Every structure is written in structure tokens, then in C-alpha cells.
Amino acid sequence: MDKILRRVAMAERQVTKRIKRKTQRRYQQEKKERMREIKRHREEVGEDMRQAIIRRNEDLKLGPIAPNRDTGKLNEFGNPYGAISVDRALLHSQLTPAQKEARCAWAGGSKNLCLAPGDRVVILEGPYKGKIVPIKTIRTSTMVLEMEDELKTNVKIPEYLREPGSSPVEPIAMAVPISAVRLVYPLPHPDSGHVRDVIVRELKPVNISYDRPTRRTLFSRLVPGLNVTIPWPAVPPVKHSDHPIDTLRIDVEERTYIPTLLRPPMPEVVIDELRNRYSKFRTRHTEEYIAKIQAQEDEKKARRKSVDTMLQPVQEYNRKLRELRRERGQPVLTDEMLEKIGRVIAKNQALRKSGGLVSAQLEQRKKQDEELRKAVESLSIEGGEGAAPVDQPKV
């Protein structure tokens, strides 16, 4: 079973690494596409601003003889005069989580956004600057707003969407980013008490709670500094019309299945369809399978032990000697051995105390050197007397 568990762990690690590589590759690709789109939009906006400056100067200098630019001629980005691309008008560019938070930072962040359809907001940027309009819908994917009073802008319609003979430029409702608006709400004046519309610079979510039945996050919105809670706009009730084909509520709430312990909730063969029994990620096994794997492991161990029975005579002899030494145990010193060892130790200690141990060793070494020298001399004398003369080679 250890081998199976190691195989499952290895498969899980491989899948984790594969998912990590795929996620990193997808992130890099999305980042590359996002940067390319941002670059294209910046170039388009920069070209429009440059052409606007040129046209303004021409209008100031030429006056009534200024050229007519609304001739249907396209610029380098393929847009006619006074029109922009659909992506710029609807703000379809994908944003990173950090960009989403920066776009709606004044309204409490992207998770707890303190805006809702029906709120009145004032536009701070663009051609409709200063206009107060109610919110129609909120696109949380790009953090932009669509207004009830449609803010029109001219865009170029692609050829595959254009009808034959129609104009290439049509006005459509533009989207407004949340960073370009502020909430407008009537508040009383702190001194006079007169109620007037006030532009709320910042909103903060408070009293955050999670409703389990509806799976919604509930919170209130507060104006920091004033500690004034702004209520949410009234939502009209949704009217549901009944039809003859609808299921009655009494039939929906009727309990038709009562579980019991006398029979399984589903046939056993369905388990193999829900859980792949041959999956390499499986960790829960039946008792029969565990017993089978254990029997295979025991068989491998027995086969490994059977190799020990096939030994050479020398190996059998060495094994027998090791067993005899193991049975004999550690050697035990007799009293005579201990007495002799003690006598030698006492003698050496006495010589060390009297200083004669070093001199005795030196004398013994000199005596050995003298005996060795005499033996060498005797060998050289015998070799000189009995050895035959050797002819010296002629030079």
C-alpha cells in the first residue's frame, strides 16, 4: 500500500505543477493581450488629441475658410471624423484586481460596492461633465456604469454589422467608469437645516454581515466624517406571473424521499460510475483490494528472503562462525588475568614515579639497536668469506 500511496502523492504533485504552469501561462498571455489593448487605446487617444489641437489652431487661424473635415475620410485607426471605436465607448478592456480596486476605491471597493441601480451620480469627466443621471446597471467585470439617460457618443460600426447603404457612424450609449462619478444625495445643511443635493466624495461599507439563506452579503453605506448613513435606493418588487404549466408550491414542498438505514441510498454499481475505481488519485480502497496488495507485498518479501538460502560454502562457514561468536557472547576476564594486568599497571606506575620508565625504555632500545648492528656485521662478514668473486664488467 505504501507504493500506491506514493504513486497517488506523485500524481497529485504532477497535477499541481501542471495547473501552476498552465495558470502562469494563461496569466502571461492575458497580461500581454491587456497591455497590447491598452497601448492601442493610448495611441488612439493620443492621435485624437493631436488632431484636435491641429483643428483648433486651424479654426482660429483660418476662420470661415477652415476646411470641412466631415468628409468620411478615415484616420490611421480606421475611424471617421468625430467617431471612436466601440471598445473605447463601452470600456470592454479587462482589468486586474488591483485596477478594479483603484477604479472604485472611493465607493468602498469592488467586494462591497456602495453603489446600486437607482442611485443618482454626477459625472466628473468627459463630454457630459457636471450632468446628474441615475444609474441603470453596474458591470462589475470592468467596474463601469450604464445610465438611464443614455449618454450618446459616435462610434464606427464594423462592416460585418452594417447594413448595406447605412452610415458607418452611429450614436450608442457610452459607459462611464466608477472613478469618473460621485454619488449625489440630498442632505440637510448643518447650520440652516436646508435640504439640498450634496456630492458625496467617499463612501464606506459598515455593519457587514452574511445572510446564509440568500447567500448575500448585507451592509450599510456610511459617509466618513459626517457619520451619516445613506439608505439604499428602493427596489421595485418583481412581479411573477403564474402559468398553467407551473408546479404548485404544495407539490414542490412535498417530501417524496425518506432515507432509511435498511437499504443503501443508491445501487452499489453506481458508486463506480461516480468515483472512478481505476483513478490514479484514488486513496480509498476496498478491503479485498487491500488484502490482495498486501499478499503481493508479502510474496515479494518471501522471494527476497529465499535468496539467503542460496549461499556458497564460504558464506555458510562465515555465517556459522558469526552465530557461534554471537552465542558465546562477550569475553570475560578471569581472576588470574586481572591480577597480571594489575601487576603490570602497578610496575609501570612505580617506574613513572621514580623516573626510571623512560630510562628503561631507552636502555632497551639501545640494546635492540646493538643486537641489530651485530647481526648486520655478521651477515656482511659471512658474505665476504664464502661468496665467489664476481667479474666486473669491462668498460
Side-chain angles (χ1 to χ4, degrees):
M1 290 302 296
D2 295 341
K3 182 179 179 181
I4 296 176
L5 295 177
R6 287 196 301 270
R7 183 181 63 189
V8 172
M10 182 180 66
E12 291 177 352
R13 288 195 300 269
Q14 290 176 352
V15 171
T16 303
K17 291 180 182 178
R18 193 182 307 120
I19 293 174
K20 185 178 180 181
R21 289 195 299 268
K22 189 181 297 183
T23 304
Q24 184 67 17
R25 196 181 304 115
R26 187 187 303 113
Y27 170 76
Q28 294 294 339
Q29 184 177 1
E30 291 177 357
K31 181 180 178 181
K32 186 176 180 180
E33 294 177 357
R34 185 170 60 251
M35 296 303 295
R36 186 187 299 116
E37 188 175 6
I38 292 174
K39 181 180 178 181
R40 182 172 59 84
H41 287 175
R42 287 181 176 177
E43 290 177 354
E44 184 177 349
V45 172
E47 178 64 19
D48 290 347
M49 293 180 64
R50 189 176 68 84
Q51 292 296 332
I53 294 173
I54 294 174
R55 297 185 191 116
R56 182 190 63 186
N57 294 335
E58 288 180 354
D59 292 342
L60 290 175
K61 292 179 180 179
L62 301 178
I65 61 173
N68 183 17
R69 303 181 184 88
D70 192 6
T71 58
K73 185 179 179 181
L74 304 180
N75 59 9
E76 59 177 331
F77 297 96
N79 298 328
Y81 173 76
I84 60 176
S85 61
V86 179
D87 292 339
R88 281 181 58 191
L90 301 180
L91 299 176
H92 283 162
S93 302
Q94 296 298 325
L95 303 178
T96 61
Q99 292 173 341
K100 289 183 180 180
E101 292 293 335
R103 179 165 283 188
C104 55
W106 71 270
S110 59
K111 292 184 178 180
N112 300 320
L113 186 63
C114 296
L115 291 177
D119 283 331
R120 294 191 308 150
V121 294
V122 59
I123 300 176
L124 305 180
E125 300 175 2
Y128 296 96
K129 180 178 180 181
K131 188 174 182 179
I132 299 176
V133 289
I135 299 175
K136 182 179 180 181
T137 56
I138 300 176
R139 255 192 284 153
T140 56
S141 59
T142 54
M143 290 299 167
V144 296
L145 306 175
E146 295 180 3
M147 307 303 180
E148 290 186 0
D149 296 341
E150 295 183 349
L151 310 179
K152 300 291 185 177
T153 183
N154 294 328
V155 298
K156 177 195 173 184
I157 304 300
E159 294 183 0
Y160 59 87
L161 296 178
R162 192 187 313 162
E163 296 181 358
S166 62
S167 173
V169 179
E170 290 187 7
I172 65 171
M174 63 182 296
V176 182
I178 296 179
S179 59
V181 300
R182 291 296 184 271
L183 180 66
V184 175
Y185 191 79
L187 293 176
H189 194 275
D191 298 334
S192 62
H194 177 67
V195 178
R196 80 282 189 221
D197 285 340
V198 177
I199 298 177
V200 179
R201 182 185 303 172
E202 183 181 0
L203 291 172
K204 180 180 179 182
V206 294
N207 302 328
I208 302 174
S209 62
Y210 180 74
D211 188 14
R212 289 181 179 272
T214 59
R215 297 183 179 180
R216 295 174 56 191
T217 302
L218 306 178
F219 57 91
S220 303
R221 46 186 183 176
L222 179 75
V223 180
L226 298 179
N227 295 331
V228 176
T229 303
I230 297 180
W232 296 97
V235 179
V238 180
K239 295 182 180 180
H240 298 281
S241 57
D242 296 335
H243 302 278
I245 199 174
D246 292 346
T247 305
L248 299 179
R249 181 174 293 276
I250 189 173
D251 296 333
V252 173
E253 296 179 353
E254 182 183 1
R255 190 173 183 182
T256 58
Y257 174 73
I258 300 176
T260 177
L261 299 178
L262 300 179
R263 59 184 178 87
M266 65 183 70
E268 295 182 0
V269 294
V270 180
I271 299 296
D272 293 338
E273 298 180 6
L274 298 177
R275 304 171 183 171
N276 185 9
R277 61 184 302 181
Y278 303 106
S279 175
K280 59 183 178 181
F281 303 104
R282 182 174 179 177
T283 56
R284 295 177 293 182
H285 303 280
T286 60
E287 297 181 358
E288 294 80 4
Y289 182 77
I290 295 175
K292 178 182 176 181
I293 297 299
Q294 190 65 33
Q296 293 178 359
E297 293 181 358
D298 295 341
E299 184 180 357
K300 289 181 181 179
K301 290 181 181 179
R303 192 182 304 114
R304 200 176 298 116
K305 288 183 179 179
S306 64
V307 179
D308 297 342
T309 59
M310 298 181 292
L311 300 176
Q312 297 179 358
V314 176
Q315 295 175 340
E316 293 181 357
Y317 176 72
N318 292 333
R319 176 172 292 185
K320 188 173 182 180
L321 290 180
R322 286 195 296 271
E323 291 177 356
L324 292 175
R325 284 197 297 269
R326 196 178 299 110
E327 293 177 358
R328 193 186 315 139
Q330 296 293 336
V332 180
L333 297 176
T334 61
D335 296 339
E336 296 178 357
M337 294 180 181
L338 294 174
E339 184 181 357
K340 188 174 182 180
I341 291 173
R343 196 181 300 115
V344 172
I345 293 173
K347 180 180 178 182
N348 291 337
Q349 288 180 354
L351 291 174
R352 189 179 293 107
K353 290 180 180 179
S354 61
L357 180 60
V358 178
S359 58
Q361 292 178 352
L362 293 175
E363 291 294 336
Q364 186 177 3
R365 185 173 298 175
K366 288 181 181 180
K367 188 183 295 184
Q368 292 176 356
D369 295 342
E370 186 66 25
E371 291 176 358
L372 182 61
R373 187 177 60 77
K374 290 180 180 181
V376 172
E377 289 179 357
S378 63
L379 289 174
S380 62
I381 293 173
E382 291 177 359
E385 293 178 354
V390 180
D391 296 336
Q392 298 292 334
K394 295 182 180 179
V395 181

